[in-house]
Amino acid sequence: MSLPDYIHSPTVAAQALGFGDPATAGIVPAIHPSTTYERGADNTLLSGRLYSRADNPNYEPPEAVLTRLEAGAATAVFSSGMSAATAVFMALKPGDHVLVPKVIYWALRAWLLGWATDWGLRVESVDTTDPAAVEGSVRRGQTKLIWIETPANPTLVVSDIEALAEVAHRAGALLAVDSTFATPVHSLPLLLGADLVMHSATKYLNGHSDVIAGTVTTREEDAFWGRIIAVRSQAGTVLGPFEAWLLLRGMRTLFVRVAAQSRAAMRIAEHFEGHSGVEAVLYPGLTSFPGHRVAARQMQGGFGGMLSLRVAGGAPGALSALGRLRIWKRATSLGGVESLVEHRASVEGPQSATPADLLRLSVGLEDADDLIRDLEQALK
Ligand SMILES: Cc1ncc(COP(=O)(O)O)c(C=O)c1O
């Protein structure tokens, strides 16, 4: 690891901070499947490692790279985005009050309103796009965490990280940001005052639809961080070494992938704004989008590869357009090299608050003209 200090984030990612295989001088790290580590005759750990439910050489490179990209103090990789997010809430204590967004990844909402509430967390949903509403919902001495997701899944609404960090800190609470849609290419929440940043690394960080993973990065290695790490090793929500290795490989191309996906998403959004087959295009890059000004302030170099279309003709219109697509793949998830589309309300089920006419698009790396043409023929 002899890279100069001045390197920029795309260099950090492409060279994985210089991590390779010291044993062979290989320029990519080896995979370390060992679950346990030997002790010497004096009973001390020879490598400092004990057991792979706590640490493994394959966790370290993606953790170090992401810590650097997010300008944080430390990162932990988890077995999924959900286990990363839930570790943050599990590090709280029964009776603690948390504020979470009204628009939030639906499985996390279900977990918060189900398990977390059963275990004694006091979970309150609030419109996090309105800092005054969040401030009004804070319970002094009781609110320990404000969780936001920006841009949010699936309506892309934007929350003001800097303003909400101030609200959280005035109340003695932490601000955690699910930055899965924004990625460290476009947004650095810790530099805007957030305390924790979480990713579903299944999405853009890995980028190839072949790993389920999650991450949490902290601004400070404090006692709360120690509890998050303890949740991971005690609950055993660790990533397998091969998945960690794949994640690092995916992260090497993060900057070129996300830049291209954001450019194409912007073109698609502009193309379909005002289109007769579309009621509304939800994309933070459009100046007409309600969260655009905040997004423009807190996102650099683009607005991400996710957008949603509200299709004319309600749910039947959306579902028949979905059925006519030939290049976009009908599948859940996002952030991969292939473009995906889904009717979120069907996936989220009867409790869903997502508009029934909404199709969520994850823009991949195909030719943008091909993607636009496919949508054109589907939306007529
Ligand atoms: C914004 C967001 N956060 C968290 C998650 C959960 O991540 P995972 O599926 O890796 O558990 C998802 C998954 O779609 C997501 O979109």
Side-chain angles (χ1 to χ4, degrees), residues 193-281:
D195 302 283
L196 297 162
V197 56
M198 174 257 147
H199 291 278
S200 166
T202 311
K203 318 301 183 194
Y204 291 99
L205 293 184
N206 179 61
H208 293 77
S209 309
D210 54 10
V211 170
I212 298 279
T215 63
V216 182
T217 302
T218 184
R219 195 152 56 93
E220 271 179 49
E221 288 190 87
D222 52 13
F224 192 70
W225 178 248
R227 287 174 66 81
I228 292 172
I229 294 294
V231 170
R232 183 182 74 167
S233 65
Q234 291 172 9
T237 49
V238 281
L239 198 57
F242 179 52
E243 285 73 15
W245 183 91
L246 273 177
L247 173 59
L248 185 73
R249 188 179 69 161
M251 284 167 67
R252 289 172 184 269
T253 55
L254 177 71
F255 282 79
V256 278
R257 281 188 284 104
V258 171
Q261 286 163 320
S262 292
R263 272 197 308 276
M266 189 72 196
R267 272 197 59 200
I268 294 167
E270 283 174 338
H271 183 94
F272 287 99
E273 196 178 28
H275 186 280
S276 59
V278 172
E279 295 290 342
V281 179

Side-chain angles (χ1 to χ4, degrees), residues 79-85 104-108 147 149 151-153 178-181 198-203 211-214 332-334 342 344 360:
S79 56
S80 67
M82 278 300 289
S83 62
I104 178 173
Y105 172 57
W106 72 285
L108 184 56
W147 179 275
E149 187 180 309
N153 186 356
D178 180 340
S179 194
T180 298
F181 276 29
M198 174 257 147
H199 291 278
S200 166
T202 311
K203 318 301 183 194
V211 170
I212 298 279
T332 197
S333 202
L334 57 113
E342 76 173 331
R344 272 313 281 174
R360 192 190 71 185

Side-chain angles (χ1 to χ4, degrees), residues 32 61 79 96 119 145 185 191 201 239 241 248 251 278 300 327 330 336:
H32 298 275
S79 56
D96 286 348
W119 286 338
L145 179 77
V185 176
L191 294 185
L239 198 57
L248 185 73
M251 284 167 67
V278 172
Q300 296 78 45
I327 295 175
R330 288 174 287 275

Side-chain angles (χ1 to χ4, degrees), residues 27-40:
I27 60 166
V28 296
I31 301 174
H32 298 275
S34 188
T35 54
T36 191
Y37 303 91
E38 202 175 350
R39 290 176 188 267

